[in-house]
Amino acid sequence: MASTSTTALSSSRRAAELSSENRFDQQLARILEHATDVFCEKGYEGASMRDLSRASGMSLAGMYHYFRSKEELLFLIQKHTFGTIIEQLRHRLEKISDPEQRIRAFIFNHLEYFLANQSAMKVLSHEDEKLSNHYGAAVRSVKREYYAICVNLLEQYKRTEKLDFSTRTAVLSLFGMMNWIYTWYNPRQDGNARKLAQEMGDIFLRGIGSSRSSGKKNSRVQ
Amino acid sequence: MASTSTTALSSSRRAAELSSENRFDQQLARILEHATDVFCEKGYEGASMRDLSRASGMSLAGMYHYFRSKEELLFLIQKHTFGTIIEQLRHRLEKISDPEQRIRAFIFNHLEYFLANQSAMKVLSHEDEKLSNHYGAAVRSVKREYYAICVNLLEQYKRTEKLDFSTRTAVLSLFGMMNWIYTWYNPRQDGNARKLAQEMGDIFLRGIGSSRSSGKKNSRVQ
DNA sequence: CTATCATTAGAACGAACGTTCGAACGATGG
DNA sequence: CCATCGTTCGAACGTTCGTTCTAATGATAG
């Protein structure tokens, strides 16, 4: 079993256990990092356990000390990645109250994390639905939470600006714009997260923003 | 070899060959259809040749009469799908001259085909880059062609409306909005292609449309 | 030093993989 | 009728897969 027991221990034993915990977690983190890159390059099914062990410099059998199965490894990656991006987002939103700026912060947070952790986010986007019942449910739950945050931001904006659009279509279009970048992003051409967040924020906010609920349509009907 | 020889033949022989050609092509098409669904459900690597043979009701060995390898099978699916969507698009664009309506036609064409061939389009979007050198280059070429059409539509719109935005970011954002729907589309909630094309068209066109090149920015700087 | 326990690895497991082989099938032409 | 040829299949190929077994490490506590 992993060193996660919480029974009372002598101080020296506790210190040992602590350093042991650190060592265990650090090794696991190291494996997760390398596995993320391999999954990103070859896909979940395409990456073999032997690929993963080679990448992390640990023997095939040794890996199984840190997780029960290849599926759990993918789960740990997805859970950690999603957890981190949500935590970072909440931290940022605390300091902003203006509805538009909150949406812009959401976009920037997503893109910044996406570009700083391209491999992990590609795995998150691309290896979706590969996890079965137990693991899948857990990840889907975190994903719904993240989705709900975005919906709330848009609903609030919609209310204060008295706008009229389909929140669902808008949110999912926004996610599409942002998540698709793993297929095309090139640092040379496309600049950093701040620039992209500005451009996508402009497109998206103008897109949902210029039609008041008065009913005016600015598109010529075909 | 496949019945694609073009040497001179007696009329009866030619008729036989023709019906044979039909039979071959029809069987191949049938396999491609079923394979598309399986690839869609399980992914390219996750779907085994045995899965594919079971789905199309043909023996494992029998499949290899119609293609050289599993990779070529994926290639045939991608090539056919892309070819069809481009052909349909060109046909539609011929009849439209207004720059905005041409963009709207592009969006509608993409979404309509996407929703009518969800499995194929998911495979196209999701199993990208799985093809190696030879096959991959061919698909990438068709993809660039499709991308270029969209770029031209936007450039034309930009010129006639005297707008100022990054064409690249705009095009790729639009593709993101549209291609992402395979992860969330639900006929019950989201309506048909026409409705979605209208909504996404509104968001996108207003998004790129309301900022003239005079330099006005409608977003409060943070 | 000895006992203990987390950690690591070599070797092997049965299962599943993509592909191939040779034979059989069925329709059609002579 | 037989010969031909596109079509189909059962069986098997060698390889690789995810996982497990067992034993050897290395560090720490007593």
Side-chain angles (χ1 to χ4, degrees), chain B:
Chain B
M1 285 297 141
S3 50
T4 51
S5 84
T6 52
T7 43
L9 302 163
S10 72
S11 65
S12 58
R13 182 74 183 82
R14 179 179 301 235
E17 169 113 335
L18 244 178
S19 82
S20 161
E21 244 185 55
N22 283 345
R23 176 162 170 72
F24 181 91
D25 290 351
Q26 279 171 18
Q27 278 283 67
L28 176 57
R30 226 178 47 83
I31 295 175
L32 257 59
E33 272 181 44
H34 290 116
T36 300
D37 290 335
V38 179
F39 281 149
C40 175
E41 277 177 37
K42 306 193 163 195
Y44 173 67
E45 323 255 13
S48 71
M49 286 301 297
R50 284 158 184 84
D51 291 331
L52 302 173
S53 84
R54 212 175 300 121
S56 58
M58 181 174 288
S59 75
L60 183 58
M63 309 265 290
Y64 283 86
H65 185 65
Y66 293 93
F67 42 85
R68 268 188 259 278
S69 65
K70 187 185 175 189
E71 191 181 14
E72 183 177 272
L73 178 57
L74 177 60
F75 168 70
L76 290 174
I77 291 174
Q78 299 205 348
K79 186 183 168 188
H80 174 263
T81 303
F82 240 133
T84 308
I85 196 174
I86 288 190
E87 185 187 9
Q88 199 174 99
L89 173 65
R90 289 201 191 282
H91 198 260
R92 273 185 166 134
L93 285 182
E94 277 177 5
K95 300 180 290 189
I96 307 174
S97 59
D98 176 65
E100 176 180 332
Q101 290 307 325
R102 285 168 70 84
I103 294 176
R104 287 197 178 268
F106 180 89
I107 295 174
F108 176 67
N109 185 76
H110 192 94
L111 290 180
E112 187 191 51
Y113 195 86
F114 214 123
L115 298 188
N117 305 78
Q118 275 191 81
S119 296
M121 290 301 279
K122 176 173 175 184
V123 172
L124 202 59
S125 300
H126 207 248
E127 308 304 343
D128 198 2
E129 300 181 345
K130 291 268 166 50
L131 295 174
S132 58
N133 310 333
H134 185 263
Y135 293 129
V139 173
R140 254 172 272 132
S141 162
V142 187
K143 185 172 296 188
R144 262 197 299 275
E145 184 187 345
Y146 190 60
Y147 173 81
I149 294 176
C150 188
V151 166
N152 287 335
L153 291 181
L154 280 199
E155 290 286 0
Q156 190 187 356
Y157 183 68
K158 205 165 153 183
R159 240 177 286 119
T160 60
E161 300 279 331
K162 303 203 192 317
L163 297 172
D164 178 36
F165 57 85
S166 158
T167 305
R168 177 176 160 86
T169 305
V171 168
L172 293 166
S173 294
L174 176 60
F175 275 119
M177 287 173 60
M178 296 191 299
N179 289 341
W180 198 245
I181 63 173
Y182 79 80
T183 67
W184 55 267
Y185 179 69
N186 180 340
R188 290 273 179 86
Q189 297 182 63
D190 301 311
N192 59 17
R194 187 163 295 280
K195 181 196 163 207
L196 273 177
Q198 179 72 40
E199 289 179 350
M200 286 194 185
D202 287 349
I203 292 179
F204 180 71
L205 285 167
R206 282 172 192 149
I208 63 172
S210 61
S211 74
R212 300 282 150 159
S213 49
S214 59
K216 172 178 178 290
K217 294 229 169 194
N218 76 353
S219 116
R220 300 160 220 168
V221 182
Q222 72 178 11

Side-chain angles (χ1 to χ4, degrees), chain A:
Chain A
M1 283 294 152
S3 51
T4 51
S5 84
T6 52
T7 44
L9 301 162
S10 71
S11 66
S12 58
R13 182 76 185 80
R14 179 180 300 240
E17 170 112 334
L18 246 179
S19 82
S20 161
E21 245 185 57
N22 281 345
R23 176 162 170 72
F24 181 91
D25 290 350
Q26 278 171 18
Q27 278 283 67
L28 176 57
R30 224 177 50 82
I31 294 175
L32 256 60
E33 271 182 45
H34 290 115
T36 299
D37 291 334
V38 179
F39 280 149
C40 175
E41 276 178 38
K42 304 193 163 195
Y44 172 67
E45 325 255 14
S48 71
M49 287 299 298
R50 285 158 182 84
D51 291 331
L52 301 173
S53 84
R54 211 174 302 121
S56 57
M58 181 175 288
S59 76
L60 183 56
M63 311 263 292
Y64 282 87
H65 185 66
Y66 294 93
F67 43 84
R68 269 188 257 279
S69 66
K70 188 186 174 188
E71 192 182 13
E72 183 176 274
L73 178 57
L74 177 60
F75 169 70
L76 290 174
I77 291 174
Q78 298 205 349
K79 185 182 168 189
H80 175 263
T81 303
F82 240 133
T84 309
I85 195 174
I86 288 190
E87 185 187 10
Q88 200 175 97
L89 174 64
R90 289 199 192 283
H91 198 261
R92 274 186 165 134
L93 285 182
E94 278 177 5
K95 298 180 291 189
I96 307 174
S97 60
D98 177 63
E100 176 179 333
Q101 290 307 324
R102 284 169 71 82
I103 294 175
R104 287 197 178 268
F106 180 89
I107 296 173
F108 175 67
N109 185 76
H110 192 93
L111 290 179
E112 187 191 51
Y113 195 86
F114 213 122
L115 299 188
N117 305 77
Q118 275 191 82
S119 295
M121 291 301 281
K122 177 174 175 184
V123 172
L124 203 58
S125 301
H126 207 251
E127 307 305 342
D128 198 2
E129 298 179 348
K130 292 269 167 49
L131 295 175
S132 57
N133 309 332
H134 185 263
Y135 293 130
V139 172
R140 255 173 271 129
S141 163
V142 187
K143 185 173 296 191
R144 263 196 299 274
E145 184 188 345
Y146 190 60
Y147 173 81
I149 294 176
C150 188
V151 166
N152 287 335
L153 291 182
L154 279 200
E155 290 287 359
Q156 191 188 356
Y157 183 67
K158 206 164 151 182
R159 241 177 286 118
T160 60
E161 300 278 331
K162 303 201 193 318
L163 296 173
D164 178 37
F165 57 85
S166 158
T167 305
R168 178 176 159 85
T169 305
V171 168
L172 293 166
S173 294
L174 177 59
F175 275 118
M177 286 173 59
M178 295 191 301
N179 290 342
W180 199 245
I181 64 173
Y182 80 78
T183 67
W184 55 267
Y185 179 70
N186 180 339
R188 289 273 179 86
Q189 297 182 63
D190 300 311
N192 58 17
R194 186 163 296 279
K195 181 194 163 210
L196 273 178
Q198 178 72 39
E199 289 179 349
M200 286 195 183
D202 287 349
I203 292 179
F204 180 71
L205 285 167
R206 283 172 192 149
I208 63 171
S210 62
S211 74
R212 300 282 150 161
S213 50
S214 61
K216 172 179 176 289
K217 294 229 169 195
N218 77 353
S219 114
R220 301 158 220 171
V221 182
Q222 73 177 10

